[in-house]
Amino acid sequence: MEEAPATPRCKVLPVPLRFLTAGESHGPGLTVVVDGLPAGLGIDRAVIDGDLRRRQGGYGRGGRMKIETDTADITAGVRHGLTLGSPVSLSIKNRDHESWKDVMSPDPQPDEARARRALKYPRPGHADLAGALKYLTSDLRNVLERASARETTARVAAGALARLLLRACGVEVRSHVLRIAGAAVADGALPWEALDGVEESPVRCGDAAAGTAMMAAIDEAKKAGDSLGGVFEVVVRGLPPGLGSFAQWDRRLDGRLAQAVMSIHSVKAVAVGAGFAAGTTPGSAFHDEILFDDAHGLHRGSNHAGGLEGGVTNGEEVRVQGVAKPIPTLVTPLRSLDLRSKEPQSASFERSDTCVVPAAGVVGEAMVAWVLADALMEKLGGDSMTEVLDHLEASRARWKEMLERPAPRDARPVPVD
Ligand SMILES: Cc1cc2nc3c(=O)[nH]c(=O)nc-3n(C[C@H](O)[C@H](O)[C@H](O)COP(=O)(O)O)c2cc1C
């Protein structure tokens, strides 16, 4: 019987990577603890801080972004530029905390401190009312401080670590804005190369004419005291096939990506690949034909599936879109009420943005990078980057071997001696 080549044994964990964030919007800062990263991963602070900066930018952001210049302090898990295999802890200061010290103090304070920044009239669309009912409080500050999208700063820091892991394995993650209200990219599926200049566009759009129309729409909304939503897309290149699984519902990668993107503040719909067009396009035009030639190897005629079939990566670019609603805090507020007296009131206003779709795209990148890094570790395993990269190389050799054989060899039982 033919000898099976030695394949590294992978460590299969139910949750290879995980992270937890803590911190309030106007508290001292945000903390994220990332667990499960292999030892020996190079940590480039410029990548983490660069992603934090991109999250703060984008046409349509408000005053706070000018106060905050986020940078992450690494407080555990990294030594001399490399991960140790222990939990990595990052902390990001809230620079405007100085003027909120007594309001956000963990220690009891005079009533005046609580009243000074009280938010009394819940904003439709924000977590204010739902949170007040959940925690039985009419002090909406207790709700919004954590419900605020300031928390996404910590996610972006965690996502930057995932991005570094993916990059070490030859995988790159980008995002771009497809739509802001009525202004949209004409051809939704912009190729990877069209995204080269996205960071130079104030709305992070790969199509100059659409970008100009998006900025005009934001200007108009700002003038009217209104807000706008839109659609961003995350695109991932270089992923190996076979990540995720159809064996159980909770291991399907499309489902895991959807959950992660849907969990971003203001995201109300998620699509993979051509998404909603699946409901209106016949199968003959929707499905991506399977082709093979010497120049390109195994490839597809199109990528409407967004790189995922059966909840498993198929080797094509992964494309995931998120639809962000218009943000709830409006300069021209909607009707609300005083929770105590039930008297009608205009919803409270807290310093706010007009449009956050470009920033939401950066958060989308972080969440997608996180889920894919988790799926990669699940597939490959390894306590150190040396092992991870060995396992990746072995897997690549197996795919190549399978495709090059005239009759592919199926997975076989390992002989027991
Ligand atoms: C990057 C980012 C920044 C946001 N900034 C604001 C903001 O300034 N004002 C606001 O009302 N909502 C903002 N939001 C949206 C709210 O956080 C979100 O609507 C709210 O938490 C309720 O959650 P939901 O929309 O998912 O239901 C932002 C969202 C993101 C992704």
Side-chain angles (χ1 to χ4, degrees):
M1 199 171 85
E2 205 182 325
E3 270 289 295
T7 306
R9 297 303 285 262
C10 298
K11 184 176 69 178
V12 180
L13 297 173
V15 189
L17 294 183
R18 55 198 170 147
F19 76 83
L20 272 183
T21 75
E24 275 71 43
S25 183
H26 297 96
L30 296 148
T31 305
V32 56
V33 177
V34 174
D35 188 38
L37 287 174
L41 174 66
I43 298 300
D44 182 350
R45 281 168 188 273
V47 170
I48 308 172
D49 290 346
D51 282 358
L52 292 176
R53 209 167 28 251
R54 288 191 306 124
R55 191 206 72 95
Q56 291 183 281
Y59 201 77
R61 304 303 298 280
R64 183 167 192 187
M65 294 310 123
K66 295 184 184 91
I67 302 169
E68 310 269 355
T69 354
D70 290 328
T71 52
D73 284 330
I74 302 173
T75 55
V78 181
R79 182 163 180 256
H80 300 169
L82 295 174
T83 53
L84 296 169
S86 50
V88 175
S89 172
L90 303 175
S91 105
I92 302 130
K93 285 195 173 69
N94 286 331
R95 295 195 193 276
D96 59 351
H97 174 64
E98 278 304 306
S99 33
W100 289 76
K101 269 192 162 154
D102 56 345
V103 178
M104 293 305 295
S105 172
D107 302 316
Q109 296 292 313
D111 284 350
E112 185 274 332
R114 177 179 283 266
R116 195 149 30 86
R117 300 280 193 159
L119 199 113
K120 293 191 195 144
Y121 316 128
R123 294 160 296 172
H126 219 299
D128 305 344
L129 178 58
L133 298 171
K134 176 175 172 64
Y135 292 108
L136 304 177
T137 176
S138 56
D139 186 345
L140 301 179
R141 173 122 340 257
N142 287 346
V143 174
L144 81 100
E145 281 293 330
R146 181 62 184 166
S148 152
R150 178 73 184 145
E151 188 262 348
T152 60
T153 307
R155 298 194 198 195
V156 167
L161 300 180
R163 181 197 297 283
L164 288 168
L165 175 58
L166 290 172
R167 191 171 281 174
C169 297
V171 181
E172 289 294 335
V173 184
R174 288 178 167 179
S175 74
H176 63 124
V177 171
L178 282 170
R179 167 180 291 280
I180 288 177
V185 173
D187 176 8
L190 284 182
W192 178 266
E193 296 70 30
L195 308 182
D196 283 346
V198 153
E199 302 309 333
E200 277 77 65
S201 158
V203 277
R204 308 194 57 253
C205 179
D207 174 310
T212 306
M214 289 173 188
M215 287 189 276
I218 292 170
D219 288 343
E220 223 169 283
K222 192 169 184 185
K223 236 184 280 167
D226 213 337
S227 63
L228 295 180
V231 182
F232 62 83
E233 182 178 54
V234 182
V235 188
V236 188
R237 199 158 89 153
L239 278 171
L243 305 188
S245 173
F246 39 75
Q248 296 292 350
W249 69 270
D250 56 350
R251 295 179 61 199
R252 290 180 77 104
L253 198 52
D254 43 6
R256 287 154 66 182
L257 286 165
Q259 198 274 330
V261 175
M262 184 65 98
S263 77
I264 299 170
H265 308 60
S266 82
V267 169
K268 292 298 130 196
V270 180
V272 175
F276 281 91
T280 54
T281 314
S284 55
F286 189 80
H287 298 301
D288 310 309
E289 290 187 308
I290 302 171
L291 309 170
F292 189 88
D293 62 40
D294 287 344
H296 305 99
L298 183 70
H299 63 283
R300 312 300 288 264
S302 51
N303 187 19
H304 299 145
L308 288 156
E309 288 167 311
V312 174
T313 55
N314 62 10
E316 299 295 304
E317 282 175 1
V318 162
R319 287 185 174 250
V320 181
Q321 298 171 13
V323 183
K325 75 185 187 188
I327 57 172
T329 310
L330 300 177
V331 176
T332 311
L334 295 174
R335 285 183 298 171
S336 182
L337 46 72
D338 183 320
L339 271 187
R340 290 190 184 149
S341 68
K342 316 296 174 297
E343 285 296 314
Q345 294 285 351
S346 292
S348 292
F349 179 79
E350 174 105 348
R351 186 176 49 211
S352 183
D353 305 324
T354 306
C355 176
V356 298
V357 183
V362 178
V363 184
E365 268 176 58
M367 295 310 290
V368 167
W370 181 265
V371 170
L372 294 176
D374 185 44
L376 192 74
M377 287 302 292
E378 183 180 86
K379 171 83 178 168
L380 300 176
D383 290 311
S384 66
M385 280 310 288
T386 308
E387 285 180 343
V388 171
L389 294 175
D390 277 353
H391 297 177
L392 180 61
E393 202 181 311
S395 291
R396 286 200 196 283
R398 289 294 200 183
W399 296 314
K400 195 160 174 279
E401 180 200 48
M402 177 189 158
L403 292 171
E404 279 173 0
R405 276 172 177 257
R409 183 184 58 201
D410 286 350
R412 293 173 309 152
V414 176
V416 182
D417 45 39

